[in-house]
Amino acid sequence: MKHALWRHAALMATGLVALTAPVLAQDHVNLIFRQFDPPTETAGLQAAIDAWNTSHPDIQVRMETMAGGDTLAQLAREIPAGAGPDIQHMAFVWTRDLAKSNLLLDLGPLIEAEAPGAGTDDFLALELATLDGKIYGMPWSADTFAMAYRPDLLEAAGVTLPDTWDELATAAQALSNGDGQYGLCFPAGSAPDSGMWTLVNYYLWSNGSTLIDETAPGTWEIVASAEDIAAAMTYFNGFFTAGTAPESLITVNSWGDPELIGGLGRGDCAITFFPPQTFRAAQGQSELPLETGMIPAGSEMRISHLGGRALGINPNSKHPEQAWAFMRYLLSPETFKTYNQYPAQESVLDALDFPENEQGYVDMLPQARTFERYISSPIAVSSMTGLINREFGAVFSGQRSPEEASQIVLDELAALLERGKS
């Protein structure tokens, strides 16, 4: 079994050698790097920064932590006043908005002088960091979902890991025993932030559809038909009508809900879908091994969404070259040996070893796509999320048929699109 190199943070903290970036010939420089992961998840990142500071005595970096929810407002206050950190940790979807407000440095000249890693084409989701042809951030870490399952339950039922959505429904039937063990668990709640949104899009995208897309430059149209949406509603509602998913999940909204995390470990659920951090939490609560596999394929493709974080430089930084040198170090394989995240570069993904039971994420990341098509549309993503979760929930609870609910979705999407254009 391979050993994940990030498990050896303590060794790396003392043994990591310097990145090949040369020490810049100038006086001692102090940089501030601000990030928003909770302190409980930053030990590996701090170990990487400590290693940098040891090997770069002329460029010292101090890490600040600020809650993600406070970060944007704080940057909007600090940077126009000439303050703020030198390097900023950002969600993918923040980069364009910060760039539009002149809160990020155009990285083009720095990239041209010394490109990071294997070059910008190697980075996932670079389009979200690009505005008017200029790059304002570098994708840093990436995450997506994978299918998480109990291999012992599949083996006992004689079920192979399902490869398609149809196979998943069949497998769920075989894995449900009518005595508290269900084949599939997923958050089917109707709250605006319910995780149902994620699965709906995986299903639609993999079957060649999408809610909305730019069909020609500047032309946004609703792509999904009523039949497409009704088919997705019927598919997921089928797990409840067949008794292969517990009806209690109709009130569960979060992928991190204890009913899902604990359910997989207890064996109440044989299969679910998790992002990496949630999978690790579930493994921590399970006495038996858990595994991950790829998201089921539809008629057109296999796909998941790509989320993650990016790095940017404050336009006020007095040391942009040194900040860029440190940023390239954060993007390098050396950092990811201790930083417990997946890199947003295909070559770095290939260069690192990850836990064998997380192979599903490694396999899915190159096939994941961002929500860029929705982010750039005239409709607020939050409006689409709330609408989809509400109407899928209406079907699950029996308030509406898939045909009724899908037509409501189309009508409201059309109204939102018209309003967004005006």
Side-chain angles (χ1 to χ4, degrees):
M1 178 177 179
K2 294 180 178 179
H3 294 283
L5 294 178
W6 64 35
R7 305 296 186 202
H8 303 288
L11 290 175
M12 295 308 301
T14 56
L16 188 62
V17 297
L19 186 68
T20 53
V23 174
L24 301 176
Q26 65 168 54
D27 294 338
H28 185 94
V29 168
N30 291 309
L31 300 175
I32 295 176
F33 165 53
R34 182 182 291 165
Q35 66 87 41
F36 54 72
D37 283 339
T40 54
E41 298 178 8
T42 58
L45 179 57
Q46 185 61 63
I49 294 172
D50 290 345
W52 164 274
N53 285 335
T54 298
S55 58
H56 292 76
D58 293 335
I59 307 176
Q60 293 294 286
V61 178
R62 178 168 62 86
M63 184 171 74
E64 288 184 352
T65 296
M66 177 176 288
D70 301 329
T71 298
L72 286 177
Q74 182 68 10
L75 291 174
R77 287 190 293 267
E78 289 177 325
I79 295 179
D86 295 278
I87 304 105
Q88 178 62 51
H89 175 202
M90 308 173 290
F92 276 173
V93 295
W94 296 355
T95 312
R96 281 189 191 168
D97 288 341
L98 290 170
K100 288 177 183 175
S101 301
N102 299 315
L103 302 180
L104 288 173
L105 184 71
D106 171 14
L107 300 179
L110 296 168
I111 293 171
E112 186 175 354
E114 193 154 15
T120 54
D121 289 344
D122 192 41
F123 285 80
L124 306 173
L126 187 65
E127 70 275 12
L128 294 183
T130 304
L131 178 67
D132 297 332
K134 297 180 179 178
I135 297 173
Y136 289 89
M138 294 308 303
W140 185 27
S141 64
D143 61 65
T144 188
F145 276 55
M147 196 155 50
Y149 64 98
R150 280 275 300 267
D152 60 310
L153 298 182
L154 270 65
E155 182 178 359
V159 172
T160 57
L161 189 64
D163 187 57
T164 67
W165 292 109
D166 288 343
E167 289 180 11
L168 176 60
T170 301
Q173 191 77 52
L175 290 163
S176 301
N177 63 10
D179 190 29
Q181 178 182 308
Y182 294 89
L184 180 68
C185 293
F186 56 97
S190 57
D193 60 348
S194 173
M196 194 63 225
W197 163 258
T198 305
L199 279 190
V200 171
N201 280 287
Y202 288 1
Y203 187 89
L204 289 175
W205 295 351
S206 67
N207 285 299
S209 187
T210 186
L211 294 176
I212 185 171
D213 208 351
E214 189 174 23
T215 55
T219 301
W220 290 90
E221 294 182 313
I222 298 167
V223 175
S225 66
E227 290 74 20
D228 294 335
I229 299 170
M233 291 172 163
T234 300
Y235 176 80
F236 288 108
N237 192 44
F239 290 97
F240 297 115
T241 58
T244 55
E247 290 187 353
S248 59
L249 294 179
I250 294 174
T251 62
V252 169
N253 293 297
S254 171
W255 291 103
D257 191 278
E259 187 166 349
L260 294 175
I261 294 178
L264 194 63
R266 292 190 301 269
D268 301 343
C269 305
I271 299 175
T272 185
F273 301 89
F274 281 150
Q277 298 294 344
T278 310
F279 175 76
R280 292 166 193 154
Q283 182 61 86
Q285 296 182 22
S286 176
E287 294 182 357
L288 293 172
L290 306 179
E291 297 283 349
T292 59
M294 300 179 77
I295 298 294
S299 60
E300 300 293 327
M301 68 183 77
R302 188 190 314 277
I303 193 169
S304 61
H305 84 282
L306 179 64
R309 295 87 176 276
L311 298 170
I313 295 178
N314 186 337
N316 298 321
S317 176
K318 296 178 181 176
H319 311 289
E321 291 83 7
Q322 290 84 354
W324 179 239
F326 176 67
M327 215 164 103
R328 287 189 292 107
Y329 168 75
L330 290 180
L331 296 167
S332 74
E334 298 302 321
T335 293
F336 287 95
K337 289 176 180 176
T338 59
Y339 184 39
N340 191 8
Q341 298 284 342
Y342 285 86
Q345 300 164 77
E346 293 192 34
S347 64
V348 181
L349 275 170
D350 292 339
L352 297 176
D353 290 332
F354 298 94
E356 285 187 346
N357 67 351
E358 296 188 12
Q359 187 61 37
Y361 300 108
V362 178
D363 292 338
M364 282 310 307
L365 276 172
Q367 303 188 56
R369 298 292 179 268
T370 69
F371 279 107
E372 198 275 343
R373 73 184 81 180
Y374 294 165
I375 293 170
S376 298
S377 81
I379 303 178
V381 176
S382 58
S383 298
M384 284 189 276
T385 304
L387 171 61
I388 289 297
N389 290 340
R390 187 192 73 205
E391 292 307 314
F392 271 73
V395 172
F396 298 156
S397 63
Q399 297 176 58
R400 277 190 272 280
S401 69
E403 290 72 24
E404 292 170 333
S406 61
Q407 191 57 54
I408 290 173
V409 169
L410 285 188
D411 291 345
E412 292 199 21
L413 279 178
L416 288 167
L417 181 58
E418 194 61 31
R419 193 181 312 155
K421 290 177 178 176
S422 62

